[in-house]
Amino acid sequence: MDSETIACGDSLSDRERQVLGLLAEGYTYQSIARRMQISPHTVDTYLRRIRGKTGVRSRAHLLRLAIALDDSTRLLGAEWTTRRVETDLVGSSR
C-alpha cells in the first residue's frame, strides 16, 4: 500500500472510517448495516466512496487500507458504535 493511498484515506469521513473499521473487523455488509442502523445499500455506497477517494479496487486492498490507517490513526469501528449507542440511550432518557 503506497503512502499516497494512505494519505487519501485521511480524507475519509467519520462514517466511511467506521464502515471501513467494521469491515476490517470481519463484519459483512449486512451486519455492518444492522450495527450502524443503515441499509446494506448505504454500506455499499460508503465503500464505493472510499474506493473512489483512495483508488482502492478490491476488498483485500480495502482491508490493507484499513490496517494501514489503523496503524496511523484509530478507525471508528465497533467500539465507537457501542459508545455512540450508549451515549444516545443515556441522552434520550433525560
Side-chain angles (χ1 to χ4, degrees):
M1 178 99 3
D2 62 33
S3 58
E4 185 177 316
T5 301
I6 294 169
C8 291
D10 292 338
S11 69
L12 300 179
S13 72
D14 285 348
R15 293 294 267 184
E16 290 165 344
R17 284 177 176 269
Q18 185 181 6
V19 168
L20 188 59
L22 290 168
L23 185 71
E25 290 177 27
Y27 288 91
T28 64
Y29 284 32
Q30 187 69 33
S31 60
I32 293 170
R34 276 194 307 271
R35 198 162 188 81
M36 293 178 65
Q37 298 179 337
I38 58 177
S39 78
H41 177 74
T42 304
V43 171
D44 184 59
T45 298
Y46 281 129
L47 291 170
R48 278 188 278 117
R49 287 180 187 168
I50 292 167
R51 287 181 176 113
K53 289 179 180 181
T54 62
V56 168
R57 293 291 164 227
S58 71
R59 187 177 181 126
H61 283 126
L62 280 173
L63 295 176
R64 288 181 61 201
L65 174 63
I67 291 166
L69 289 175
D70 197 34
D71 285 345
S72 61
T73 62
R74 180 69 186 126
L75 286 174
L76 301 172
E79 182 180 309
W80 181 87
T81 305
T82 303
R83 273 190 273 127
R84 179 172 175 245
V85 169
E86 288 170 353
T87 302
D88 289 349
L89 291 174
V90 170
S92 66
S93 64
R94 292 182 185 174

